[in-house]
Amino acid sequence: MTEQRVHLSKTEPAAYQALDAFSKTVGTICAENGIDDRLKEIVMIHCSQLNGCSYCTRIHVDRAVAAGLDVDTISQIAVWRESGVFSDRERAALELAEAFTFIAEDGISDDVYDLVGSVFTEKEYAALSWACVSINAFNRIVIAGRYPVPPRGTQAGA
């Protein structure tokens, strides 16, 4: 993908800055409501994978490593249903991430809502929901703009 596209964050920086501020608020909400960085980054990676956003996937894999996730756990996110490495909380969060990412298909079904509600408090559910909203918004901006993801050795500033 070498085609240049409008870079929304550069063309209309005020809107991007507002989204970035929203994302920081969501991070605070997560931290204040019992969603640690490990769990938040698992959700961010999975939404980005589902959307096909390599740029955000890379960013959140880096953040996941900083939050203490190991390579094995990170590599299992895409196949979490078949993997035994995730806790009940992580599995519920991954389920919610999928529901939010594909919300146009079924909304948040009663089954998903009940499952997630049986594992998380209302505040935790809200925090994870806002995290899903935030990353899905970023994924759409980045995918539409075809932000490049060069090899690590030659990575330039985006």
Side-chain angles (χ1 to χ4, degrees):
M1 290 193 303
T2 58
E3 178 184 337
Q4 291 288 324
R5 295 270 180 117
V6 171
H7 203 282
L8 294 176
S9 63
K10 293 178 182 175
T11 304
E12 288 295 341
Y16 187 84
Q17 290 164 358
L19 182 59
D20 188 51
F22 167 70
S23 175
K24 289 177 178 150
T25 299
V26 168
T28 300
I29 289 168
C30 285
E32 290 176 350
N33 290 300
I35 305 302
D36 63 20
D37 286 343
R38 174 189 166 92
L39 184 57
K40 182 180 73 172
E41 294 306 329
I42 287 172
V43 165
M44 299 298 200
I45 291 168
H46 195 47
C47 289
S48 297
Q49 290 172 330
L50 294 171
N51 282 316
C53 187
S54 58
Y55 186 90
C56 292
T57 298
R58 175 180 275 175
I59 287 170
H60 290 285
V61 164
D62 289 347
R63 291 179 183 174
V65 169
L69 270 83
D70 58 44
V71 173
D72 182 60
T73 302
I74 293 168
S75 70
Q76 295 294 305
I77 293 171
V79 293
W80 70 270
R81 289 182 193 282
E82 293 79 29
S83 177
V85 304
F86 298 102
S87 69
D88 288 344
R89 284 174 62 84
E90 291 165 342
R91 295 177 73 75
L94 287 160
E95 192 77 61
L96 188 64
E98 289 184 6
F100 265 96
T101 300
F102 301 126
I103 201 158
E105 292 176 13
D106 295 316
I108 306 297
S109 72
D110 290 341
D111 288 343
V112 169
Y113 184 82
D114 292 344
L115 168 73
V116 175
S118 73
V119 175
F120 292 107
T121 66
E122 182 179 343
K123 289 283 200 175
E124 290 169 329
Y125 177 90
L128 283 170
S129 295
W130 282 117
C132 292
V133 169
S134 174
I135 191 59
N136 275 283
F138 275 110
N139 290 163
R140 280 145 181 78
I141 291 165
V142 170
I143 292 167
R146 294 190 180 165
Y147 288 30
V149 182
R152 290 275 188 189
T154 59
Q155 188 173 2

